[in-house]
């Protein structure tokens, strides 16, 4: 309550971990800007019918240059028009992962996308190294669905592993 899209949240250096969690509903990170340094930030929506949605009408931004970001949903994770930067970015879902509409995921060590169903990266989205000096790894795993990179999406990593049963 009281948080307006477009607001900025600056994490204090004394804070090491921040977890947004929901046992039965979805988590919507809609148009906020979250900045920090080495913090670990996680969005966890546990229910089999819960999603994690990052984006919104105002572009969302999460910046943790030496920290870790994780999003986990019982159903789907949708990232649209957002920028997520961290040392490690990990997204996991019990359903699908959709990265779309100009999203930028950037990491210095690794980007991991693991879905029990499918992974789709589209609409000019980017999965990139955080800086030109980094040597990140990119892992994309789709369980029962397909792993797709379409519609002018781009990848920039030293190692790319992509697996799918389809």
């Amino acid at each position: 309550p009281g948080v307006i899209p477009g607001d900025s949240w600056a994490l204090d250096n004394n804070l090491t971990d921040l977890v947004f969690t929901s046992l039965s509903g979805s988590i919507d990170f809609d148009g906020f800007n979250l900045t920090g340094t080495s913090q670990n930030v996680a969005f966890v929506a546990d229910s089999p019918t819960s999603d994690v949605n990052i984006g919104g009408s105002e572009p969302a931004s999460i910046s943790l240059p030496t920290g870790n970001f994780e999003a986990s949903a019982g159903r789907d994770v949708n990232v649209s028009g957002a920028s997520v930067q961290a040392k490690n970015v990990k997204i996991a879902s019990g359903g699908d992962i959709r990265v779309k509409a100009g999203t930028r995921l950037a990491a210095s060590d690794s980007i991991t996308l693991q879905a029990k169903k499918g992974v789709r990266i589209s609409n000019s989205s980017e999965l990139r190294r955080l800086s030109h000096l980094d040597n990140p790894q990119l892992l994309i795993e789709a369980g029962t669905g397909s792993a797709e990179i379409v519609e002018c999406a781009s990848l920039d990593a030293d190692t790319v592993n992509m697996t799918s049963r389809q």
Side-chain angles (χ1 to χ4, degrees):
V3 178
I4 300 166
D7 277 357
S8 291
W9 299 351
L11 301 180
D12 185 300
N13 284 336
N14 294 320
L15 180 70
T16 58
D17 300 292
L18 177 62
V19 178
F20 296 86
T21 187
S22 174
L23 297 176
S24 60
S26 294
I27 295 175
D28 296 318
F29 192 76
D30 186 0
F32 300 115
N33 299 307
L34 179 67
T35 59
T37 53
S38 60
Q39 292 87 357
N40 299 309
V41 173
F43 296 167
V44 181
D46 273 339
S47 168
T49 60
S50 296
D51 299 332
V52 171
N53 302 301
I54 303 170
S57 55
E58 298 273 337
S61 174
I62 298 168
S63 179
L64 307 162
T66 57
N68 299 297
F69 175 77
E70 183 172 344
S72 175
R75 187 171 50 188
D76 298 335
V77 177
N78 301 295
V79 187
S80 180
S83 173
V84 178
Q85 301 177 21
K87 181 178 179 182
N88 295 291
V89 174
K90 181 176 182 181
I91 298 176
S93 76
D96 293 318
I97 295 172
R98 295 177 200 91
V99 179
K100 55 187 177 178
T103 294
R104 183 174 190 267
L105 303 180
S108 56
D109 282 0
S110 67
I111 298 173
T112 303
L113 306 176
Q114 294 174 302
K116 288 191 177 173
K117 290 185 179 176
V119 177
R120 182 174 174 90
I121 302 163
S122 64
N123 295 354
S124 302
S125 292
E126 299 177 18
L127 281 65
R128 313 201 66 74
R129 60 187 78 228
L130 198 55
S131 81
H132 71 281
L133 299 175
D134 297 326
N135 302 308
Q137 295 185 8
L138 173 60
L139 171 64
I140 299 171
E141 289 183 355
T144 60
S146 59
E148 300 175 85
I149 302 169
V150 296
E151 298 175 17
C152 301
S154 67
L155 309 177
D156 175 26
D158 280 5
T159 304
V160 176
N161 292 309
M162 191 167 160
T163 61
S164 170
R165 290 189 184 169
Q166 292 205 10

